[in-house]
Each structure stands twice: as structure tokens, then as C-alpha cells.
Amino acid sequence: MRCIQFTDPHIGMPGDDTFDVDVRANFQKVLAAIANENADHVILTGDLCFREPRPEIYNWVHEAIADSGLDIRIIPGNHDDQHMMGEIFGMSPTDEREIYSIQDLGGKRCLLLDTGAGQMSEPQWSWMLEALAQASDPLLIFMHHPPVLCDVPYMDRKHSFTQMARFQARVQELERPVHVFCGHYHVDRTVSFGNLHVHVTPSTFFQINPGNPEFEVDHYRIGYRRIFVTEGSVITSVVYLD
């Protein structure tokens, strides 16, 4: 199974000051590159909107995806609104305003979680624990926030997932590898914590300087992640676009 993951496009409204980055052109550039990958599945892991979620932004993204011909599964990020997404992309948020699901990707049951609030509701936790017991090996999870610290001080200190310890404890109970694919941090990272392997994919907007404890743009190269899953192995790498 070959998957592509991309994340954090942060599409703004016309006239928004997006650090002089043409985020819409970036998004279409990434879609064009992904279309040439011949992937079995494509997942967009949140933060479709620049700062505030707007129906106009989701409509633009929906049309851009339709024009690309790609079948893309989408989960929310912290800059998204689940009800707006649900209406435009045909998804159904839960009573807790979350969108999560199990997807059969290449014969493997993969979990798509909703950490848009920086945490998960109790119903989502219960659902996840049941799903973990039924998923295939190796287990794949897609979510917006990394469930580990990533040595990116600005993000670790101010914008991290608030239920890391709980998530890590549940995964450690499983006697098999768990691979998490996420975004949010605007860096390229792989962090292993016991049987938990977290792959952070760079944004299609800009990347954050991991050496500065305060916010600073590191560079403007954009990328996406290739994921190749065979029986018992996961091979992944980041592709940067010039």
C-alpha cells in the first residue's frame, strides 16, 4: 500500500497576510505533485484554514481537490471547524464536534483521529481503545497533533497535544509497532518512543525553526510524505518541492 500524507496548508482569504506566501498556489502545486505519485490513498491531516475557519476557504479547497481528481481523506486541525468541514466535505461530526473514523486503506484498518481541540473527548478515547484492539499490524494512525514532544521548543511549550502521557500509556500496552503520521509542528521529524513511532510531516505553508524557543520561520520549502506499507514494515520519507 502506498499512501501520501500532506498537512497544514493554512489557506487564507484573498487579502490575508500569509507571510507573503501564496498558500493557494502552494496547495495546487502539492496536489499536482501528489497526482503524479500514483498513490493508493491520500490523507490531509488538518489546518486547512489560515487562522479562522471560513466556508469560503473550505469551498475553495473542495473545488481544488475535485479539479485534481484525487480522492483525499481529511481530518481536522486546530484551525478548522468540524461543522463547516462536515457540511462541505460530506462528513458527520459527533456530538462532541469531532470527526474521526476507521478507514480501510489497502486492507489495513487505519485510525483517523480528531485532535483539533488539542485533546480528544472521552467518547473518542473509548472509541479509539476499542479500535486499537481490532486494527492490523503494523498499526497506522493519522492525527493532527504529535502525541510526543519533538524538540521544537516553541511548539512543545505552547501548542502541544495536552494528552500525550495518556496516549503514550495506551500505546505502550500494545505489543506491536504503532506508526503515527501527523503535522501541526511545521517541521520534518521522526520520534520513536518505545513501540510508538511518530512521523511529523512539514507544512505546505512554511517550516518553523526548531532551534528557536520563540516563533521564527526556518524556511519556505514545502513538502509531503510518502508512506509505503508492506506486511510487517513501514517505509516513509518526505518529499520537498522546489
Side-chain angles (χ1 to χ4, degrees), residues 1 6 49 61 73 77 82 86 104 116 144 152-153 157 160 167 173 194-195 199 208 214 217-218:
M1 174 183 68
F6 68 119
C49 297
V61 172
R73 292 167 173 82
Q82 285 81 343
D104 185 344
H144 183 66
V152 183
R157 189 177 73 251
S160 60
F167 189 96
E173 295 172 356
N195 64 324
H199 311 280
I208 287 176
E214 301 303 324
V217 174
D218 187 16

Side-chain angles (χ1 to χ4, degrees), residues 166-233:
R166 185 178 181 183
F167 189 96
Q168 293 164 11
R170 298 291 79 77
V171 169
Q172 296 301 315
E173 295 172 356
L174 303 172
E175 296 182 356
R176 51 192 168 136
V178 176
H179 290 266
V180 172
F181 298 93
C182 52
H184 183 54
Y185 268 39
H186 292 240
V187 293
D188 176 358
R189 278 285 193 274
T190 293
V191 181
S192 292
F193 185 83
N195 64 324
L196 174 62
H197 308 283
V198 179
H199 311 280
V200 186
T201 299
S203 168
T204 66
F205 185 8
F206 61 78
Q207 314 316 324
I208 287 176
N209 184 355
N212 192 335
E214 301 303 324
F215 174 80
E216 181 184 26
V217 174
D218 187 16
H219 62 85
Y220 292 93
R221 296 180 68 205
I222 62 175
Y224 58 90
R225 181 174 294 278
R226 291 173 176 154
I227 306 165
F228 179 41
V229 183
T230 63
E231 195 61 39
S233 71

Side-chain angles (χ1 to χ4, degrees), residues 47 127 171:
D47 275 2
W127 171 89
V171 169

Side-chain angles (χ1 to χ4, degrees), residues 90-128:
M91 300 181 290
S92 299
T94 65
D95 292 340
E96 293 76 32
R97 295 177 63 92
E98 294 173 326
I99 297 174
Y100 51 88
S101 64
I102 297 176
Q103 299 287 327
D104 185 344
L105 305 183
K108 296 187 179 297
R109 291 166 63 85
C110 302
L111 278 60
L112 275 61
L113 304 182
D114 184 344
T115 64
Q119 60 184 8
M120 301 191 303
S121 68
E122 289 304 318
Q124 186 176 177
W125 275 103
S126 297
W127 171 89
M128 186 188 78

Side-chain angles (χ1 to χ4, degrees), residues 67-80:
D67 289 344
S68 75
L70 293 167
D71 180 16
I72 300 178
R73 292 167 173 82
I74 300 172
I75 59 174
N78 53 295
H79 285 279
D80 290 314

Side-chain angles (χ1 to χ4, degrees), residues 6 27-36 42 60-72:
F6 68 119
F27 190 75
Q28 291 175 320
K29 183 176 182 178
V30 169
L31 289 181
I34 292 172
N36 291 324
V42 182
W60 184 89
V61 172
H62 185 272
E63 292 176 6
I65 290 174
D67 289 344
S68 75
L70 293 167
D71 180 16
I72 300 178

